Amino acid sequence: METTQPFTVLAVDDNPVNLKLMESSLVKEGYRVISASNGPRARELSVAEKPDLILLDIRMPGEDGFEVIRFLKDNPVTGTIPVIFLTAYAEINSKLRGFDLGAVDYITKPFHPLEVLARVGIHLKLSIATNSLIAEQARKLGQITEAQNAMLPLAEELPWARFGVYYKALEEAGGDFYDILNISDQITGYFVADFSGHDIKTSYMTAAIKALLAQNCSPVYSPLESMKMINDVLVEILTDGKYLTACYVWLNRSTGKLCIISAGHPPVVHIPKGKDPEVIRLDGDILGMFKDARFGIHRIPVAPGDRLFVYSDGLVESVKRKITWATGAESLVEKFKEVRDVPFCDAPTALMETIFDKGEIPEDDVVVLCVEV
Amino acid sequence: MDFKAMASNLGIDEADFIELAELLVITSLSDLAALEQGLAQGSKEPIAHAAHSIKGAAGNLGFTDIAAIAAEMETLVGQGEFDSINARADALRQGLDAINMAMGR
């Protein structure tokens, strides 16, 4: 809402006298007034002009004021515009129904122009205050998004790690996280995690996980030891039943050794060069819940050109289609085949496009990592 | 009829008020025609709507006599007292004429 622009008020009444009276009083006080003499016109103008406030007569022939409010409140473009309705003094049911439908106030008829001005003024002030509060909160959430994104390493910044990534958070503070760890010249760690919930608290946790990974994923610890140490700290600091599922892929490119640690996370898909994908299922406890957690562990030899897909459950799960990742991964084997010839850096995005139709939005946060040996 | 006082009561200019009074007469005569048509057809809905419309507009501008007559008509519709409404329609028309006269028309 620009303060330098005059506020626009939409006046709706089927009687031209009432319209004119509201208009002349409001214009005199510096408002811009648009008017409608019936419901359909009111709806049309609300959407086209997005007025700052609407004065709406309830009793109109044809489409009445209630139907107009219902439309306004159901429409995202007009839903937040304050509506003051005009109703006869005795009509208590109209007043209650108007409030019930989302109106902010009412003015009884016959109305006095000065009362109209006073109520318009107060509700515009309230609306400005609410809007600036929302804008401020959105700005703060934007900062969190920025900070969180800054914690996610970009593939082009770490060419030696030979990975591609697709990352999409549904809300400002996403619940998925990944990190790349340069353990030594030959050894790289790839970590993908999914927090329970995706709220602001979660996003602060990603900073903690990043620090824990940096501290505990070093050449002196085995991958399992690293995860156990991280788990022990998380058990101490995570509260309210918060936990995360995670997958840690430890890859030594010079020896061709690969180790996967799974903490209740969807299976890694391994695609040996020129062969069909293998789904590596591992049982394992989640991270941050149990002091003596047992994680799934799998060691395999790998060769240059082999690929690994590590992802969060948002890729394979669907509440709508009742698919859990236990069954989802199997059904996706064919999809992994389809992106076999796509360069590894583009493979995650290509995979997303293969799985989700254009315009279809995943139901959860999604991270997909493709690593090439 | 003191338009100046009525305008000042609403917090608007006399010129604006006269414009509104003029609009009230035109609109209400049109409502009245719809009302009389409703009476002729014995149809309640157009009568109720016209009476309600006149009541609101006249009341807003401070023409309390006209608003009162229209309010009575609105009540009478519910009771099906078409003859009484007819009699009041004449009174209402006279009231609107009086506004016209006061404006020098």
Side-chain angles (χ1 to χ4, degrees):
Chain A
M1 208 178 288
E2 290 282 331
T3 45
T4 48
Q5 295 277 321
F7 289 111
T8 300
V9 175
L10 167 64
V12 187
D13 198 307
D14 62 315
N15 189 303
V17 177
N18 304 341
L19 272 186
K20 180 90 187 146
L21 180 58
M22 287 191 267
E23 191 181 328
S24 48
S25 321
L26 287 162
V27 165
K28 213 163 275 175
E29 295 300 317
Y31 295 103
R32 174 176 168 255
V33 181
I34 47 177
S35 30
S37 61
N38 56 54
R41 180 73 183 137
R43 285 193 279 113
E44 196 181 305
L45 280 175
S46 313
V47 174
E49 300 269 343
K50 293 185 206 72
D52 298 298
L53 186 141
I54 299 172
L55 286 164
L56 176 66
D57 186 26
I58 288 296
R59 195 159 160 181
M60 292 186 289
E63 186 176 317
D64 67 12
F66 295 127
E67 286 174 68
V68 178
I69 301 186
R70 196 173 295 124
F71 167 85
L72 294 170
K73 294 298 158 191
D74 284 348
N75 189 329
V77 178
T78 52
T80 57
I81 303 173
V83 177
I84 301 176
F85 60 95
L86 304 163
T87 180
Y89 179 74
E91 290 170 6
I92 181 72
N93 286 333
S94 285
K95 292 171 193 168
L96 293 176
R97 196 163 160 215
F99 281 126
D100 200 39
L101 290 171
V104 293
D105 204 354
Y106 68 86
I107 295 171
T108 53
K109 286 169 119 181
F111 60 81
H112 195 287
L114 294 179
E115 183 186 353
V116 173
L117 284 174
R119 291 201 193 270
V120 166
I122 187 94
H123 286 289
L124 278 174
K125 272 183 215 160
L126 274 172
S127 172
I128 294 163
T130 311
N131 286 345
S132 66
L133 210 71
I134 290 166
E136 174 65 9
Q137 286 177 2
R139 194 184 61 76
K140 283 182 181 163
L141 280 175
Q143 287 175 346
I144 289 167
T145 311
E146 277 168 36
Q148 203 181 12
N149 287 343
M151 275 186 249
L152 303 170
L154 298 174
E156 48 273 27
E157 284 169 4
L158 311 173
W160 46 266
R162 295 178 64 75
F163 77 103
V165 65
Y166 175 93
Y167 180 88
K168 177 92 185 147
L170 281 193
E171 290 172 17
E172 283 80 356
D176 284 359
F177 171 74
Y178 71 90
D179 201 7
I180 311 296
L181 301 139
N182 185 16
I183 298 168
S184 76
D185 285 350
Q186 295 81 30
I187 305 169
T188 312
Y190 304 87
F191 182 85
V192 170
D194 182 358
F195 287 87
S196 59
H198 27 105
D199 53 17
I200 303 300
K201 249 192 229 167
T202 303
S203 70
Y204 288 121
M205 288 313 304
T206 59
I209 302 286
K210 198 170 166 82
L212 284 171
L213 287 167
Q215 286 162 18
N216 295 297
C217 297
S218 77
V220 296
Y221 299 124
S222 76
L224 189 60
E225 284 169 338
S226 298
M227 284 303 111
K228 285 198 162 182
M229 284 188 291
I230 290 171
N231 180 65
D232 290 350
V233 179
L234 288 175
V235 169
E236 296 300 322
I237 62 172
L238 288 180
T239 51
D240 309 332
K242 287 246 178 231
Y243 63 90
L244 54 152
T245 72
C247 182
Y248 178 45
V249 172
W250 179 98
L251 171 65
N252 186 328
R253 283 194 165 84
S254 73
T255 60
K257 280 183 183 168
L258 179 88
C259 179
I260 301 167
I261 308 288
S262 176
H265 203 74
V268 169
V269 174
H270 174 216
I271 311 176
K273 194 178 182 186
K275 292 186 186 154
D276 280 347
E278 297 164 359
V279 178
I280 303 172
R281 303 184 162 282
L282 295 172
D283 288 330
D285 291 335
I286 49 179
L287 267 184
M289 196 67 119
F290 315 109
K291 191 83 187 162
D292 54 352
R294 285 169 172 273
F295 301 122
I297 179 161
H298 186 71
R299 294 189 186 89
I300 40 165
V302 286
D306 283 8
R307 279 186 185 181
L308 296 135
F309 280 91
V310 193
Y311 48 86
S312 59
D313 58 5
L315 179 74
V316 289
E317 273 190 351
S318 172
V319 178
K320 280 183 224 148
R321 293 186 229 145
K322 295 190 176 138
I323 300 171
T324 63
W325 56 260
T327 53
E330 295 293 349
S331 67
L332 289 180
V333 167
E334 291 304 314
K335 307 280 185 192
F336 284 103
K337 280 188 198 169
E338 282 177 41
V339 298
R340 197 152 44 183
D341 297 324
V342 179
F344 69 85
C345 45
D346 301 325
T349 307
L351 184 68
M352 284 301 291
E353 284 167 1
T354 313
I355 296 174
F356 294 92
D357 292 335
K358 267 209 170 79
E360 190 189 350
I361 300 158
E363 294 165 36
D364 196 359
D365 299 339
V366 177
V367 56
V368 182
L369 223 63
C370 173
V371 179
E372 190 165 272
V373 181
Chain B
M1 240 174 271
D2 188 349
F3 289 160
K4 194 170 183 173
M6 289 173 90
S8 141
N9 196 30
L10 289 178
I12 61 175
D13 299 340
E14 192 181 353
D16 282 345
F17 184 83
I18 290 174
E19 212 178 303
L20 280 161
E22 232 173 307
L23 192 58
L24 174 75
V25 174
I26 297 165
T27 310
S28 301
L29 283 174
S30 149
D31 282 336
L32 205 52
L35 183 144
E36 281 165 340
Q37 202 179 347
L39 281 175
Q41 293 166 348
S43 167
K44 285 185 177 180
E45 171 49 34
I47 305 174
H49 177 257
H52 184 80
S53 179
I54 297 169
K55 178 185 81 174
N60 281 342
L61 295 192
F63 293 104
T64 45
D65 295 352
I66 293 177
I69 299 169
E72 282 173 19
M73 290 166 113
E74 215 184 345
T75 314
L76 289 167
V77 184
Q79 300 159 356
E81 302 266 356
F82 285 15
D83 287 344
S84 311
I85 295 172
N86 215 350
R88 279 167 181 80
D90 289 338
L92 218 150
R93 198 180 298 276
Q94 283 167 22
L96 294 171
D97 282 346
I99 299 174
N100 258 339
M101 298 243 298
M103 286 190 295
R105 276 149 230 242

